[in-house]
Amino acid sequence: MRGLVKHYGETKALDGVDLEVREGSVMGVLGPNGAGKTTLVRILSTLLPPTAGQATVAGYDVVSQPRQLRRVIGLTGQYASVDEKLPGWENLYLIGRLLDLPRKAARARADELLERFSLTDAAKRPAGTYSGGMRRRLDLAASMIGRPSVLFLDEPTTGLDPRTRNEVWDEVKAMVGDGVTVLLTTQYMEEAEQLASELTVVDRGKVIAKGGIDELKAKVGGRTLRVKPADPLRLRPLAAHLDGLGITGLATTTVDVERGALLVPILSDEQLTAVVAAVTAQGVTLASVSTELPSLDEVFLSLTGHRASTPQDAEPTDAREEVAV
Amino acid sequence: MSAPTITTADARIPLRGHLRHTGALLRRNLLWIRQDPESMADAVLFPIVFTLLFVYVFGGSIGQALGGGQDAYVQYLVPGMLAMMGMTMAQGVGTGFNQDFNSGVMDRFRSLPIGRGSVLFAKIAVELLRMLLATGVMFVVALLVGFDVTNWGGLLAAVALAVAFGSSLMWVFLTLGVTMKSVQSVQAMGFLVLMPLQFGSSIFAPTDSMPGWLQNFTDYNPLSALADASRGLMNGGPVAHDLWLTLGWSVALTAVMAPIAVHKFRTKT
């Protein structure tokens, strides 16, 4: 893929997005519901015309060369776009034929991809009877039929349970190993970290940060230390105390009242140790200590100073995203 | 795969490509039927129920007015039912397509290098098969209740005419199916268009006894023309005027609505 630049003037969904993805790399686009991720993918896959601005994918302009472009891309939508009434094999065979594979080649390709995505046993069953994970795998297989050089994965694991999510991740990693350029949208920092080499964070149709994964992680504080004192009344004084010490540097400590814990952004193991030491020095008994990757909310908090602008501040389980025209 | 090897000249889809794509999509639509045979129930039951209903409810009285009995009405009704079959089956294409459109698989089709018309053509092809099935069932029922085939050639010609008109109507309903937001609204719109057209025509009863203003409507109603043309072809009598009128309607509807449907489908977001 050559350069990929976008400008959008008018639309609320995308308000001037510039993006460039290196050939053979995985670009993660991280953002909450309604940030414009799906709109971005739909424009890049020629499903939606841009209001303004221009974009090229694999050297083809999305507006003036849609047919050529469609030949080199694969698309896996947010809501699995397989035909539920068709058996898995027929789904793949259909796509093969639509991509102008001769009958024999389309048959062979369908067999091959079912095998690769461990769906051979379910080949003859309607896709509607598949489990969520199987359906995503079939969807991935369908987008691989034409051996695309650019692959769009629009929230490939939203709504999946953790184990199935890992399965899908493994498949995606294998695809990336084949040298495909991937544009991945996600609401999960963890997913971005697993799959992407570079990350663009979007919010309300704007890019609010971009860079390498490690760079951004450092920016948002790498990890989050979750400290839970035995006595919840100590939460606020502790938070003030820690901020006063300034150990964490980049972002301030958040109090999670509901779960009775402090969320401390940390950059290093030294900071982790220092924070725990500072807390115990206050004579606080700790009920639990754990570290986790920052959630999308925390990423946003540290990058923008406000919470992710999800319509109802929803949990990232709601798969639908507003697509403005 | 990285270096783009496809030149602009390759962007055009050759006719054979269109045929291949339409064929593949037609296969998909046929597989749907195999997966869900109940979806064919309406095509089988509709002609049975309606033919019997009209023959036995109205057959006696309208038959009398026609100067015969129930048999006379059967002879009158069957060509009309042929027209009705075209209309009803055409309406189904709109709702079916609307449903299909709201599933994610359309996005996948639209992201593939195929002519967008292929999806529509395949849908129409499979609906025409449904229409032929419904017509076949209708004729079986008609024969059972005493329909007399006087002219097999004429009957086939009438079926061909109904198919031509039915497919032109399908473009209208496809446009509705692509444009409207939900299946329900497509159905409601279809119903609103359908009822006056069907009953305000010569399908079920001769128009002579209708009030003048309604006769004006029925005279211009293409379904009347189709019903009368079929009647002429199957039972004998004047044909030419209604035949040309029906063909004219078919060509005009297709010429206007097909490009609109394809355009709406292409630009649908």
Side-chain angles (χ1 to χ4, degrees), chain A residues 116 171-180:
Chain A
R116 168 163 167 193
E171 297 295 354
V172 174
K173 281 177 198 162
M175 281 151 74
V176 174
D178 293 350
V180 184

Side-chain angles (χ1 to χ4, degrees), chain A residues 10-316:
Chain A
E10 314 282 289
T11 42
K12 282 161 266 157
L14 286 180
D15 195 5
V17 171
D18 294 335
L19 198 63
E20 198 164 325
V21 186
R22 270 184 304 110
E23 190 180 323
S25 74
V26 182
M27 166 63 83
V29 176
L30 182 70
N33 275 334
K37 304 188 298 293
T38 295
T39 311
L40 179 70
V41 169
R42 289 177 71 89
I43 289 170
L44 292 178
S45 54
T46 73
L47 295 178
L48 212 62
T51 333
Q54 58 147 345
T56 56
V57 176
Y60 296 119
D61 188 271
V62 292
V63 179
S64 61
Q65 298 170 300
R67 291 229 170 97
Q68 295 95 320
L69 198 158
R70 286 183 200 132
R71 221 164 257 292
V72 296
I73 60 168
L75 171 67
T76 292
Q78 194 178 128
Y79 0 104
S81 45
V82 294
D83 191 326
E84 302 198 346
K85 287 195 192 168
L86 288 194
W89 188 88
E90 290 288 349
N91 260 294
L92 300 186
Y93 178 73
L94 170 65
I95 307 286
R97 291 293 286 159
L98 292 179
L99 282 165
D100 297 322
L101 293 181
R103 280 196 182 82
K104 210 171 142 198
R107 260 183 234 127
R109 189 82 178 128
D111 290 338
E112 177 194 337
L113 283 167
L114 283 173
E115 177 83 41
R116 168 163 167 193
F117 287 89
S118 327
L119 289 168
T120 306
D121 292 341
K124 292 201 166 71
R125 269 167 43 204
T129 66
Y130 285 17
S131 69
M134 288 164 78
R135 217 179 291 190
R136 287 311 157 99
R137 294 208 307 267
L138 182 61
D139 203 10
L140 287 175
S143 55
M144 291 303 282
I145 298 252
R147 302 177 201 278
S149 50
V150 178
L151 189 60
F152 296 108
L153 301 175
D154 190 15
E155 303 203 10
T157 64
T158 295
L160 293 184
D161 62 70
R163 202 173 57 100
T164 323
R165 179 175 300 176
N166 283 328
E167 274 174 36
V168 174
W169 283 349
D170 288 343
E171 297 295 354
V172 174
K173 281 177 198 162
M175 281 151 74
V176 174
D178 293 350
V180 184
T181 308
V182 178
L183 188 110
L184 163 93
T185 76
T186 181
Q187 304 192 22
Y188 309 115
M189 184 68 185
E190 197 190 350
E191 181 159 271
E193 193 187 29
Q194 283 280 331
L195 301 176
S197 48
E198 273 174 276
L199 198 59
T200 301
V201 186
V202 291
D203 183 30
R204 301 180 202 180
K206 284 196 162 84
V207 174
I208 55 172
K210 59 172 106 182
I213 283 274
D214 295 329
E215 225 176 292
L216 279 175
K217 262 173 63 190
K219 227 182 192 173
V220 300
R223 284 173 299 171
T224 299
L225 176 64
R226 183 180 283 274
V227 184
K228 188 175 178 182
D231 178 6
L233 287 176
R234 307 291 299 261
L235 279 173
R236 288 188 191 282
L238 272 177
H241 178 66
L242 284 175
D243 283 342
L245 289 176
I247 300 173
T248 57
L250 281 162
T252 52
T253 304
T254 333
V255 181
D256 183 349
V257 182
E258 261 168 55
R259 276 173 275 186
L262 291 176
L263 304 177
V264 193
I266 50 168
L267 294 171
S268 62
D269 292 348
E270 286 72 32
Q271 283 195 338
L272 188 155
T273 319
V275 169
V276 174
V279 170
T280 44
Q282 292 287 302
V284 174
T285 316
L286 290 178
S288 76
V289 176
S290 61
T291 60
E292 49 197 52
L293 282 171
S295 71
L296 185 60
D297 256 3
E298 284 156 330
V299 171
F300 270 78
L301 208 55
S302 13
L303 287 175
T304 65
H306 67 81
R307 299 185 81 80
S309 54
T310 323
Q312 305 92 15
D313 203 30
E315 283 290 298

Side-chain angles (χ1 to χ4, degrees), chain B residues 237-249:
Chain B
V239 167
H241 173 73
D242 290 313
L243 183 65
W244 286 116
L245 204 58
T246 312
L247 285 176
W249 269 101

Side-chain angles (χ1 to χ4, degrees), chain B residues 76-85 138 202-204 227 230-231:
Chain B
Y76 180 88
L77 175 72
V78 168
M81 286 297 287
L82 187 61
M84 178 152 166
M85 223 50 69
M138 194 267 293
S202 63
I203 289 185
F204 304 111
S230 307
R231 231 161 250 144

Side-chain angles (χ1 to χ4, degrees), chain A residues 67, chain B residues 13 18 21 25 112-120 265-266:
Chain A
R67 291 229 170 97
Chain B
I13 299 167
H18 281 301
H21 301 154
L25 289 162
L112 290 171
I114 59 173
R116 310 259 167 126
S118 305
V119 182
L120 303 181
F265 181 55
R266 187 174 288 148

